[in-house]
Amino acid sequence: MGIKRIFSAGGIVVRPLINEPVSSNSETGSGKDKWEVLVTQHSKHKGWDFPKGHREIYESEEQTALRELEEETGVKAEIVERVGQTQYFYYEEGERVMKTVVYYLMKYVGEGEATTAFEVSDMVWLPVDQVEGKLTFKDTKELWKKVKDKVGGV
């Protein structure tokens, strides 16, 4: 039996804390306590993760990440940089699936329309120091450890 491969993309979205002015001159790794990060809960498996979704055949990874973010959360963002990927296996309808997810660090720009919000049962904006504790999956936590010091330089 073969392995089905799925490619997805998602975003680690940051925005300034409300009532906390953020200088655009911040150096990387500094000022990260003045930002908050979007984390979502999947409606089926209930795990907490960064928003992500399947790549359509005609899309770039960047287009997928931005589209899925808005569809699932109603949040619009701009991409800052590609920050890594995760890869994991699971079973779907008896078939083994290998999923690769590319993540982008993104900066919040506004609200859009959540057209597939049913895929997300909850979403929260968390201070940088609380994100790791909320994330469910080991691979996403490892990615976050590598990315969190970049938040202050967004």
Side-chain angles (χ1 to χ4, degrees):
M1 180 186 286
I3 296 174
K4 181 178 177 180
R5 298 179 190 275
I6 294 179
F7 298 94
S8 293
I12 300 173
V13 184
V14 301
R15 71 178 182 190
L17 282 169
I18 296 173
N19 301 324
E20 288 285 341
V22 177
S23 168
S24 60
N25 297 337
S26 297
E27 293 180 22
T28 300
S30 65
K32 65 184 177 205
D33 58 334
K34 302 221 184 277
W35 295 88
E36 57 187 359
V37 181
L38 180 63
V39 182
T40 57
Q41 185 179 40
H42 195 277
S43 60
K44 288 186 183 177
H45 59 66
K46 302 299 182 196
W48 288 91
D49 207 347
F50 300 115
K52 65 183 184 297
H54 293 95
R55 184 176 174 190
E56 300 294 340
I57 195 161
Y58 57 85
E59 289 180 315
S60 68
E61 292 172 343
E62 295 91 344
Q63 289 169 326
T64 300
L66 292 169
R67 175 185 54 78
E68 285 289 341
L69 171 67
E70 184 175 358
E71 285 180 357
E72 292 183 357
T73 68
V75 169
K76 289 187 173 190
E78 61 185 25
I79 291 176
V80 176
E81 66 179 287
R82 186 181 194 271
V83 291
Q85 71 179 37
T86 61
Q87 194 169 62
Y88 54 92
F89 291 92
Y90 63 95
Y91 285 89
E92 184 175 74
E93 299 176 4
E95 186 175 24
R96 191 164 188 218
V97 178
M98 182 177 78
K99 187 170 189 173
T100 302
V101 185
V102 173
Y103 284 97
Y104 292 88
L105 181 61
M106 299 179 180
K107 186 175 181 180
Y108 174 90
V109 296
E111 295 297 318
E113 183 180 356
T115 57
T116 62
F118 62 87
E119 295 178 11
V120 172
S121 57
D122 200 2
M123 58 185 259
V124 293
W125 289 94
L126 297 171
V128 171
D129 64 351
Q130 293 178 22
V131 172
E132 185 178 344
K134 190 72 164 175
L135 294 171
T136 300
F137 306 105
K138 181 181 176 186
D139 56 347
T140 313
K141 287 183 184 209
E142 291 300 316
L143 177 66
W144 173 245
K145 287 177 188 175
K146 295 175 185 173
V147 173
K148 69 181 177 183
D149 285 337
K150 295 177 180 259
V151 171
V154 170

